[in-house]
Amino acid sequence: MSGGRRRKLRLSKIYSFACCKASFEGDHHSQIGGKGYSRVVFCNEPDSFVEDGVKNFADNSVRSTKYTLATFFPKSLFEQFRRAANFYFLVTGTLAFTKLAPYTAVSAILPLIIVIGATMVKEGIEDLCRKKQDIEVNNRRVKVHKADGIFEYTAWKNVRVGNIVKVEKDEFFPADLLLLSSSYDDAVCYVETMNLDGETNLKLKQGLEVTSSLQEDLHFLNFKATVKCEDPNANLYSFVGSMDFEEKNNALSPQQLLLRDSKLRNTDYIFGAVIFTGHDTKVIQNSTDPPSKRSRIEKKMDRVIYFLFCILFLMAFVGSIFFGIATKDDFQNGLMKRWYLTPDDSTVFFDPKRPAAAALFHCLTALMLYGFFIPISLYVSIEIVKVLQSIFINQDIHMYYREADKPARARTSNLNEELGQVDTILSDKTGTLTCNSMEFIKCSIAGVAYGRGATEVEKAMDRRKGSPSIHEHDIESEADNIRGSLDKRALIKGFNFADERITNGNWVNEPHADVIQKFFRLLVVCHTAIPEVDEETGNVSYEAESPDEAAFVIAARELGFEFYKRGQTSLLTYELDPVSCKKVERKYKLLNCLEFNSSRKRMSVIVEDEEGKILLLCKGADSIMFERLAKNGREFEEKTMEHVHEYADAGLRTLILAYRELDAEEYKEFDNKFSMAKNLVSADQDILIEEVSEKIEKNLILLGATAVEDKLQDGVPECIDKLARAGIKIWVLTGDKMETAINIGFACSLLRQGMKQIIIHLDSPEIQALEKDGDKMAIAKASRQSVLLQISDGAAQLTAYRGSSHQAFALIIDGKSLAYALEDNMKNMFLELAIRCASVICCRSSPKQKAMVTRLVKSGARKTTLAIGDGANDVGMLQEADIGVGISGVEGMQLCLVILQLHNSGIWNGYFWCMDIGVTGGSHL
């Protein structure tokens, strides 16, 4: 899509459900100017801060290093002398300069200097690598308004609060910006927050209407505005402020804030005013001072040193007692028994008149003389081994990902030895065990199941049954039929569908061809994707907010329904005409879009076709959609539900597709109410919009269901099987529903044949009845009791099978139950049950719950824990673990870099690896 075409497209029409104006009512805007809301920014006047005596804000350079030139020696020396042996040799080295020393001072100090120096050099080199990364980030370039409407490239570190910057497509935001305008007329832009929350789905941001017309460089020649907002804080998802522009006060919300390290996508450019810079930005505010971490081996070695020192001191003390006694009796009848010590020439060391002092000094001498008992070279050996281990990790061919040409990278070597002590692995699922790359693989249309492909879960189910895989035979047969066509074209990302009844236009011969046509027409129209046309090749790609949505549009295109252009209020498609069997152009007038969110669990579009029919097209979760069907729209309900359950058992994500035709009067009434709700400036705006949408999304006619697969990473089942056989416990923490998580567990060998499952959930009829009544206190009490009873029952099962060494158990718990299981009076019981199980799956768990579970395992079991994740949304879990492994791959590399930055800035308190997604499948994890 060209820039000119973009500027004619007002995306606020497409996202009419989500784009809402900020309101001064019912929020924190009344606190602006008070404590915590005192920041004042003069846009396009950065010099005004100094002239007017306003606070001189932080510059935009960031530092993620552990040391500076001023702090390197004191901090590094402190780290070195925390080691007991080093401190001992420091003391003995100091004493070596006295007459007590039985050897020269150089022989005592030189080894210590070499050991300490080598370790400090290693620390310095690792910190220098971080410094280079900081320099690279701080010297990134962005266009900044200088004067007279001219924008010039400036290094990020020179960006100041109040500057107007121009960020272009696929560039990162250099600071926290207030969105003023974009290449779209209504100041809308797409933002990828992968570096912040790990999600590749695009987020929509929209500037204020009063600044949306500032689309050219020269428009900022005389631009002036004053922003009053909250002070710097760590909350990524809140922003309170107001902007005085053209003598009007406009409320600001998080919808206008673009966070540092987010990327501009699917938008030619944006103009923004710098609000927070450097360490005031929200992503850096989330970091803390780097903790000083030490491995368990190093701590244990200190305890060994203490033990050796006790023996050493005992030897010196006993020897000194005998020396004192002998010194006291040295003169006998005027003769010196130990004449060779010449006690007559000694002032104190061998003075028979002062035996106590002689014994004390002898003790100090003995401590130095027996110093070889403390192995100073041990620390040198360990440091050398750590460095060599890091080199071996980086060069290990088994951890090299050929497709991306990326090796594993051990970013630091401080905790290498912990990798051999891992007792429990806690892993994210999506993007870690699975690829987070959705593929359209099956569908159910008019009660008929289409799609002959087999999922990883189905193959695993066949293997569990101990029979040859029927699905694999089907795949081989199908592959023979279509291999010729596959050789002629490249594999299509997001599309893994094979069924001769549907492909190549054969659907026109199916009994319900009209329903199939409506099904794919819904897929090609009901979405918010934007087509991108390659001007050289003419190929169309799609920018979508989720991989699921992109897979649907691609599948529709491959099956004869191509979406190729979006206008201001229209959609243009090429559709296969069942009569002429040729592609014809269709135009749909876009009237409204009711966007998907977590509470609605569905999205709808209302369009008018070329025949003047007004259609409501809806897709959503089965739990929501089936109850909205009309009496005459349930013809295929039974078969579709059966297929949906089969797809869920196969580990697929499903959506129900339905539609209805609206008459003109009904739509007019809805549109009036919807427009009123959308334009209402009130804290209840979202609720009113949802109520209006609720009334129109009913009496639907069922068309069918889609099924997409999030495929497993290569080699994951084999890797998990090897880890389990090694006695390492594996926990999977996922946001998926329980059925999908269980099936993925079987597919990746986390759950095995013959393994008994202990399932803890809150889906009992009693609790569901209480939820309908809405009594929160009663629900919480009953839920707590239910979880406690289920944990007790699970523990009883384990006790009953205690004598059977061949019986393995798996614990599966949902997010609601987990919230109660992690309470103080119950978490120890839950942990005791969990650590006795071979595998644990926590379903529907939030990021906070992931972190709490990891902390519980680490502190309660007192075993080494390793957490694996693919993005910054897993930071909570990874920072709680002893060891953190970051997966880098198609979408995770930037996340690894940001996690590294958090690690260096202190959010990370565990060891960090950055490796490629293929590595999880290897045996060298």
Side-chain angles (χ1 to χ4, degrees), residues 496-509:
N496 189 24
F497 182 86
D499 196 319
E500 70 282 355
R501 295 172 294 174
I502 293 289
T503 55
N504 299 321
N506 293 334
W507 61 266
V508 299
N509 300 317

Side-chain angles (χ1 to χ4, degrees), residues 410-708:
R411 303 280 185 169
T412 181
S413 59
N414 285 346
L415 302 173
N416 283 355
E417 60 269 31
E418 291 287 87
L419 291 171
Q421 312 299 318
V422 173
D423 176 81
T424 304
I425 294 177
L426 302 101
S427 174
D428 179 37
K429 185 189 75 67
T430 304
T432 303
L433 298 182
T434 61
C435 300
N436 196 24
S437 178
M438 307 303 170
E439 291 187 341
F440 187 92
I441 188 169
K442 294 185 180 184
C443 61
S444 172
I445 310 175
V448 180
Y450 295 99
R452 302 194 184 282
T455 67
E456 298 285 350
V457 172
E458 288 176 317
K459 296 174 185 177
M461 290 170 66
D462 289 332
R463 288 195 295 268
R464 291 204 312 274
K465 294 174 183 177
S467 59
S469 176
I470 299 173
H471 293 101
E472 290 180 3
H473 290 314
D474 290 342
I475 293 173
E476 291 176 4
S477 178
E478 183 69 21
D480 291 337
N481 295 331
I482 65 173
R483 185 173 288 115
S485 61
L486 287 177
D487 291 339
K488 295 178 181 178
R489 62 186 180 93
L491 292 175
I492 300 166
K493 182 180 179 181
F495 185 72
N496 189 24
F497 182 86
D499 196 319
E500 70 282 355
R501 295 172 294 174
I502 293 289
T503 55
N504 299 321
N506 293 334
W507 61 266
V508 299
N509 300 317
E510 287 293 289
H512 294 283
D514 57 330
V515 179
I516 296 174
Q517 183 184 36
K518 292 175 181 176
F519 181 92
F520 288 112
R521 184 173 288 170
L522 191 152
L523 286 184
V524 81
V525 173
C526 184
H527 57 79
T528 56
I530 301 292
E532 292 277 1
V533 180
D534 190 323
E535 296 180 358
E536 295 181 0
T537 63
N539 295 331
V540 180
S541 59
Y542 302 102
E543 292 282 0
E545 288 198 18
S546 69
D548 307 65
E549 192 168 77
F552 294 146
V553 181
I554 292 170
R557 180 190 66 192
E558 296 304 312
L559 296 172
F561 294 77
E562 181 180 4
F563 164 56
Y564 75 94
K565 184 178 179 182
R566 184 186 289 278
Q568 176 57 57
T569 57
S570 63
L571 293 171
L572 297 179
T573 67
Y574 290 121
E575 298 181 9
L576 183 64
D577 183 56
V579 178
S580 63
C581 293
K582 295 182 179 180
K583 281 193 175 183
V584 296
E585 185 181 75
R586 301 286 187 196
K587 183 177 181 179
Y588 297 92
K589 184 179 180 181
L590 179 64
L591 302 177
N592 300 96
C593 178
L594 314 181
E595 196 184 356
F596 178 92
N597 64 33
S598 57
S599 61
R600 283 166 44 77
K601 296 183 180 179
R602 64 189 183 279
M603 80 158 290
S604 303
V605 295
I606 301 176
V607 297
E608 182 179 341
D609 65 12
E610 295 174 337
E611 299 174 359
K613 295 180 181 179
I614 300 176
L615 303 173
L616 183 145
L617 309 177
C618 186
K619 61 185 181 186
D622 53 358
S623 59
I624 297 295
M625 295 294 291
F626 281 124
E627 64 186 29
R628 299 181 177 277
L629 298 179
K631 291 183 179 179
N632 62 344
R634 300 176 177 270
E635 180 181 355
F636 315 115
E637 181 181 12
E638 185 177 347
K639 278 290 185 181
T640 303
M641 287 183 70
E642 181 181 330
H643 294 151
V644 166
H645 290 313
E646 290 176 1
Y647 296 155
D649 290 341
L652 300 175
R653 298 189 179 192
T654 59
L655 282 181
I656 303 300
L657 274 57
Y659 82 104
R660 66 175 291 208
E661 185 175 340
L662 307 176
D663 57 55
E665 288 298 323
E666 184 181 12
Y667 172 71
K668 185 177 180 181
E669 180 183 355
F670 160 79
D671 190 47
N672 290 335
K673 292 181 179 178
F674 188 76
S675 298
M676 289 176 61
K678 189 176 67 171
N679 296 323
L680 182 66
V681 181
S682 168
D684 298 328
Q685 184 187 51
D686 290 345
I687 298 174
L688 294 173
I689 291 176
E690 199 161 328
E691 288 177 355
V692 175
S693 303
E694 185 89 11
K695 294 178 181 178
I696 197 72
E697 294 171 321
K698 60 182 182 180
N699 298 325
L700 303 174
I701 298 174
L702 178 64
L703 294 174
T706 61
V708 296

Side-chain angles (χ1 to χ4, degrees), residues 90-107:
L90 176 64
V91 173
T92 55
T94 304
L95 292 174
F97 288 95
T98 68
K99 294 181 179 179
L100 294 171
Y103 43 70
T104 62
V106 174
S107 63

